[in-house]
Amino acid sequence: MLRVQPQKHYGVTSPISLAYPKESDHIYTQKLIEAMKPFGVFEDEDEQNHRLAVLGKLNALVKEWIAEISEEKDIPPSAIGSVGGKIFTFGSYRLGVHTKGADIDALCVAPRHVQREDFFQSFFEKLKKHEEIKDLLAVEDAFVPVIKFKFDGIEIDLLFARLALQSIPENLDLRGDSLLRNLDIRCIRSLNGCRVTDEILSLVPNKENFRLTLRAIKLWAKRRGIYSNMLGFLGGVSWAMLVARTCQLYPNAVAATLVHKFFLVFSKWEWPNAVLLKQPEESNLNLPVWDPRVNPSDRYHLMPIITPAYPQQNSTYNVSTSTRTIMSEEFKTGLSVTDEILRGKAEWPKLFEPPRFFQKYKHYIVLAASASTEENHLEWIGLVESKIRVLIGNLERNEYITLAHVNPQSFPGNEFVSMWFIGIIFKKAENAESVNIDLTQDIQAFTDTVYRQANNVSMLKEGMKIEATHVKKRQLHEYLPPDVLQKKKKSLADVNRTSNGGTKRCSLDGSQLDSSRDTDCGTPFSSPTPVNRPGKTALEIEDSPPVPRTSCPGTEQQGMSIPVIGTSENTLLAAQLSPGSTIPTMLGRNMPHATSPSSKALLANGPSSTDSINSSAPKRPCSPSPDSSPKRLKGPDKVRPPCSCQYMRDGNLLSVQAVNNFVSCYYLCFQRLSSNELPDASSPLPTNNLRVVKNSIRLTLNR
């Protein structure tokens, strides 16, 4: 009698279902593939071969350069032939989910006698002389230093890491933690992308199902306007980890089922419980890692998704109360749509329909960044965009604002002007005929942060300005063209025409898919390129905590009268879910609970009490500095074993009961994190003679 080998276990818990796909699941998956093709998410064979050829040339160029450097540094001739050097890829290309025209994120790994200065000097000069390399740019002082260029038409972002090895073997595996010993922190950051990507691929049961599902989810997130780590939504690595966790919970499912299960799982997930692909491993390297037991700031992340490679980090520390609320509602909407699709009541293209952002809110804040020249404009909007989440945080803390929703796409204004639009939901005025709302301090704290950062990096130039204006929905036509406001749907033929026009493809609503920014491990290289923007920004700014709101002088203007805001517009459309169906995550460790009343309330009530769009947004702390290095506990707690309840193996893939059982099991096995508020740090404002615009927005909210 043959014994059936047990299936390999993935993840921190047992799967929800081990059921295998039915014939109908394969049919729905094929229909999903056909629905994605018009959006240009698949490359043809010629394009794939072109990328491989370019990477091969770049790898040979690196080896040649390292041999030349070795000779200059008196390495024995007998050893020069074996010093090696290698190009590794990471991000969307390494995961196998890159889209047409997307760039390649790559890492140059060199032996210990090659210095970072050599990379940014002699290798940069070598690249400059190569006839196939264009648009060469070095960003040496960035948080993650990078050389950006086009190699035979392929955009490449190349990082550098110097390992403590005499030579770099061809079969080098970067996942070993011992490679990080005695390395410069910039090298560790550069290695992180490769290490995280490789770990994700090793932690999914079926790579092809994972890839196809991730392509669908990334397309959906971009179409729905929730793909941007910089602005407080999720970036490429975060979406990859959520999809990987779904694959772990349904290891035998195909892509169509996994897309549906993705929405089922994360529409019920109880944030701020963390998403983990594996139990965090201890190390003696004393690098700062995400650990709520010892790092107070980690306890207050709102939507933690933890990278699986050491040093473990939260890839979503930019998420705010508003962006989490928006994403949670999108998960519920996605569940409702995929329910219809799998019941035969809708088709897959419905999942990728864009939201009606400019019809959704009664009130908007228009944030305009302007400069005097094209070069200054590109630098300036990159910095401003990287700090917009500071403004969102300030607005969330205003007692009269329930939700602040930034549209990730920027729009061109007049010459050298870019605009972002933030939809605002105000609390309904009660017990008073009218309420005066002053947003001056919220705006001023944001502009102070941006000017301070620009001054610190010596970027602030004459003509660089930020201005914020309140407009009502009916006034948007003064800022945007009619086709953007009307959101007329295009035919599939129109989509095909736009998707074949080059490296930047417009989506159905005119917004770009932004395929070149698929990867970000919490430290994006540059801001996404908006429609009609001349090119990518060259400046990369290290993220810093938002500046606390202060009372700053500003020019006053006459208050504007705002009509009563109806309750129908205070709520976002959500799918109907069964009551009590929530999925917490697990940490597998005992976590200390905060003792403050607000923390206890959050712990007791869960995110449903803090994220409701009809309740005031709770104050949230600043994003922690990536350079912070809190002390580590010497004696780690014992890790709890993964849950192995028998009912986790429910055979019905579409069973909500299996998910609810999963909830109960999680509650029995693991504890939640608590939340509190953190202090901020700031530096002086610029004292030069440049004009700093003071924004004043005062409103009257009528009953």
Side-chain angles (χ1 to χ4, degrees):
M1 182 176 178
L2 294 176
R3 298 185 62 185
V4 179
Q5 289 293 110
Q7 184 169 347
K8 181 180 177 182
H9 174 75
Y10 291 86
V12 293
T13 65
S14 295
I16 292 178
S17 172
L18 293 174
Y20 286 89
K22 304 172 185 175
E23 182 61 28
S24 59
D25 298 324
H26 291 291
I27 294 173
Y28 278 119
T29 297
Q30 189 57 42
K31 289 182 178 180
L32 173 62
I33 293 172
E34 295 302 318
M36 288 192 290
K37 284 181 179 179
F39 296 96
V41 298
F42 299 106
E43 274 191 330
D44 59 35
E45 188 174 352
D46 289 342
E47 291 170 318
Q48 294 173 5
N49 291 335
H50 182 208
R51 287 179 183 272
L52 290 174
V54 166
L55 286 172
K57 291 178 184 179
L58 182 59
N59 196 53
L61 204 61
V62 164
K63 290 180 183 294
E64 181 182 299
W65 165 67
I66 290 179
E68 293 169 354
I69 287 290
S70 301
E71 187 175 356
E72 292 177 7
K73 299 195 175 184
D74 298 326
I75 300 297
S78 59
I80 290 178
S82 61
V83 291
K86 191 175 179 182
I87 289 291
F88 292 84
T89 60
F90 62 97
S92 62
Y93 181 78
R94 175 72 180 95
L95 288 172
V97 296
H98 59 286
T99 55
K100 284 184 178 181
D103 65 356
I104 297 177
D105 294 301
L107 170 70
C108 171
V109 175
R112 63 189 181 190
H113 61 272
V114 180
Q115 303 295 325
R116 181 171 295 275
E117 292 75 16
D118 298 325
F119 178 73
F120 281 98
Q121 294 173 11
S122 64
F123 186 64
F124 183 84
E125 290 300 317
K126 191 175 186 69
L127 292 174
K128 188 186 294 185
K129 296 174 184 177
H130 199 287
E131 60 181 9
E132 292 183 289
I133 292 179
K134 310 293 182 185
D135 301 337
L136 187 63
L137 173 70
V139 192
E140 190 172 358
D141 296 328
F143 184 70
V144 182
V146 61
I147 294 180
K148 306 162 76 72
F149 54 93
K150 282 186 180 179
F151 198 138
D152 194 16
I154 302 294
E155 291 187 45
I156 295 178
D157 289 345
L158 186 61
L159 312 184
F160 175 81
R162 165 182 173 265
L163 301 185
L165 301 174
Q166 289 182 334
S167 62
I168 304 300
E170 279 297 317
N171 61 348
L172 177 65
D173 185 354
L174 296 179
R175 287 190 294 164
D177 292 351
S178 60
L179 288 176
L180 303 181
R181 197 175 302 278
N182 300 322
L183 289 194
D184 177 86
I185 186 62
R186 292 169 297 179
C187 290
I188 293 175
R189 290 174 188 151
S190 298
L191 285 165
N192 193 50
C194 291
R195 287 166 54 81
V196 168
T197 305
D198 288 348
E199 280 288 349
I200 291 173
L201 285 175
S202 72
L203 291 169
V204 295
N206 184 302
K207 292 181 177 59
E208 289 309 310
N209 289 338
F210 163 74
R211 288 183 175 120
L212 186 53
T213 307
L214 181 54
R215 284 185 185 276
I217 294 302
K218 288 178 68 173
L219 174 60
W220 165 81
K222 291 173 182 179
R223 298 284 294 150
R224 301 298 295 180
I226 55 173
Y227 191 108
S228 175
N229 174 74
M230 182 182 293
L231 293 178
F233 296 104
L234 303 190
V237 71
S238 300
W239 291 117
M241 287 188 286
L242 292 188
V243 171
R245 185 70 187 111
T246 308
C247 292
Q248 291 177 342
L249 295 173
Y250 300 89
N252 299 320
V254 291
T257 304
L258 287 169
V259 169
H260 177 248
K261 293 305 182 184
F262 173 91
F263 294 119
L264 177 62
V265 170
F266 293 108
S267 65
K268 299 173 184 296
W269 199 275
E270 284 208 347
W271 308 105
N273 292 297
V275 174
L276 294 168
L277 297 182
K278 59 184 282 190
Q279 287 290 355
E281 297 172 353
E282 297 295 334
S283 177
N284 296 322
L285 300 180
N286 294 320
L287 295 173
V289 299
W290 187 85
D291 190 341
R293 300 172 302 166
V294 295
N295 304 330
S297 61
D298 292 346
R299 300 172 195 169
Y300 314 124
H301 291 175
L302 299 180
M303 200 174 179
I305 303 172
I306 310 306
T307 56
Y310 180 84
Q312 297 85 9
Q313 302 294 322
N314 176 22
S315 66
T316 61
Y317 60 84
N318 287 342
V319 170
S320 70
T321 302
S322 289
T323 55
R324 184 179 69 175
T325 298
I326 293 158
M327 287 187 284
S328 295
E329 295 299 327
E330 287 292 346
F331 290 147
K332 294 173 184 176
T333 302
L335 176 61
S336 177
V337 172
T338 51
D339 275 340
E340 291 182 16
I341 293 170
L342 296 183
R343 288 199 300 264
K345 297 182 178 180
E347 298 296 330
W348 284 110
K350 183 176 181 180
L351 183 65
F352 306 121
E353 291 179 358
R356 295 170 60 84
F357 177 82
F358 294 107
Q359 289 75 42
K360 194 171 189 176
Y361 303 103
K362 283 187 175 181
H363 304 278
Y364 295 85
I365 289 177
V366 182
L367 184 67
S370 58
S372 55
T373 68
E374 180 179 332
E375 182 181 359
N376 290 350
H377 175 244
L378 289 175
E379 286 188 335
W380 184 234
I381 61 177
L383 174 58
V384 172
E385 186 174 39
S386 73
K387 299 302 176 187
I388 288 178
R389 69 180 188 278
V390 176
L391 175 59
I392 299 302
N394 292 346
L395 294 173
E396 287 175 348
R397 287 187 285 269
N398 189 294
E399 61 179 317
Y400 298 108
I401 292 179
T402 301
L403 186 81
H405 181 179
V406 59
N407 187 338
Q409 180 185 354
S410 66
F411 295 85
N414 297 326
E415 190 176 21
F416 310 136
V417 176
S418 291
M419 298 180 295
W420 292 267
F421 291 80
I422 303 171
I424 301 293
I425 294 180
F426 290 100
K427 289 177 65 177
K428 186 176 180 180
E430 296 179 358
N431 302 323
E433 290 300 320
S434 64
V435 177
N436 294 321
I437 302 174
D438 188 356
L439 302 183
T440 304
Q441 293 182 7
D442 304 319
I443 302 295
Q444 194 62 54
F446 162 70
T447 56
D448 288 351
T449 299
V450 178
Y451 283 117
R452 180 182 293 110
Q453 180 74 67
N455 188 63
N456 289 345
V457 297
S458 303
M459 193 188 81
L460 193 59
K461 299 179 179 67
E462 185 67 43
M464 290 182 170
K465 297 185 294 184
I466 309 172
E467 295 182 276
T469 309
H470 165 261
V471 299
K472 299 176 184 179
K473 181 167 61 176
R474 64 175 180 266
Q475 298 171 301
L476 288 174
H477 69 276
E478 300 173 11
Y479 298 85
L480 295 167
D483 60 320
V484 173
L485 297 177
Q486 291 172 3
K487 297 288 186 185
K488 290 183 179 178
K489 297 178 184 177
K490 296 182 181 179
S491 66
L492 288 182
D494 293 330
V495 178
N496 278 311
R497 283 195 292 271
T498 57
S499 66
N500 294 327
T503 59
K504 293 294 179 183
R505 298 162 311 288
C506 291
S507 57
L508 290 180
D509 62 341
S511 63
Q512 293 179 351
L513 294 184
D514 186 27
S515 57
S516 63
R517 291 289 104 216
D518 276 356
T519 57
D520 49 66
C521 297
T523 54
F525 298 131
S526 62
S527 59
T529 307
V531 175
N532 295 334
R533 185 182 293 184
K536 285 189 179 182
T537 58
L539 181 70
E540 179 189 355
I541 301 296
E542 176 181 346
D543 290 333
S544 60
V547 179
R549 189 170 63 196
T550 56
S551 178
C552 300
T555 57
E556 297 185 6
Q557 63 184 32
Q558 184 66 31
M560 300 176 63
S561 177
I562 299 181
V564 175
I565 302 173
T567 56
S568 61
E569 293 214 18
N570 281 7
T571 57
L572 296 177
L573 182 61
Q576 294 298 318
L577 301 174
S578 56
S581 300
T582 53
I583 297 183
T585 131
M586 51 83 70
L587 284 172
R589 301 182 180 192
N590 290 320
M591 301 296 175
H593 292 266
T595 56
S596 68
S598 61
S599 300
K600 289 181 178 179
L602 177 62
L603 190 63
N605 299 328
S608 60
S609 64
T610 59
D611 277 1
S612 173
I613 297 180
N614 289 319
S615 61
S616 61
K619 289 187 177 182
R620 70 176 292 269
C622 65
S623 301
S625 169
D627 287 327
S628 61
S629 302
K631 294 181 179 179
R632 302 271 297 136
L633 288 180
K634 293 183 178 179
D637 294 346
K638 290 185 178 180
V639 177
R640 297 191 183 198
C643 182
S644 59
C645 299
Q646 291 301 312
Y647 55 70
M648 290 291 185
R649 293 172 172 78
D650 189 322
N652 183 359
L653 266 177
L654 300 180
S655 169
V656 175
Q657 185 58 41
V659 179
N660 291 336
N661 291 342
F662 183 55
V663 174
S664 303
C665 183
Y666 258 161
Y667 271 124
L668 290 172
C669 294
F670 305 107
Q671 294 181 335
R672 292 178 58 181
L673 300 180
S674 54
S675 177
N676 209 340
E677 194 169 8
L678 301 174
D680 274 310
S682 62
S683 55
L685 280 169
T687 56
N688 53 27
N689 295 324
L690 295 182
R691 175 173 175 249
V692 176
V693 175
K694 301 295 183 181
N695 293 270
S696 178
I697 296 183
R698 296 171 183 246
L699 316 170
T700 300
L701 185 66
N702 295 329
R703 187 171 180 180

